Amino acid sequence: NFTPVPRDAYRIGVPVSGIYREIFNSDSTYYGGSNLGNLGNIASVPMPWMGFPDSIAITLPPLAGVIFAVADEVSSD
């Protein structure tokens, strides 16, 4: 997010269903930021977005970047 405005419920597409864990947030107080983030985990929903089958709605801090990793993949079986 290259703007000074936080973005709530910013939707991004994800490749697999599951729980996504925020593994990096440049707005963390560790880096001198305001600590606005996603409280650790976000569950995907079966809403196609950006060419992906599922999506997550994240809090995008101002002037910051966040990185997510799949913490627990949901099987489609």
Side-chain angles (χ1 to χ4, degrees):
N1 184 7
F2 292 112
T3 72
V5 179
R7 306 291 181 189
D8 293 320
Y10 186 85
R11 187 160 300 280
I12 59 172
V14 293
V16 296
S17 298
I19 304 296
Y20 284 77
R21 182 170 50 96
E22 185 179 81
I23 59 171
F24 175 77
N25 180 343
S26 66
D27 194 50
S28 167
T29 54
Y30 182 79
Y31 304 112
S34 66
N35 216 33
L36 183 63
N38 295 278
L39 303 175
N41 296 323
I42 297 177
S44 68
V45 294
M47 178 186 294
W49 204 263
M50 299 177 169
F52 291 99
D54 285 35
S55 60
I56 56 176
I58 66 170
T59 297
L60 193 54
L63 302 170
V66 291
I67 298 174
F68 292 88
V70 178
D72 188 20
E73 188 172 335
V74 175
S75 175
S76 60
D77 297 337

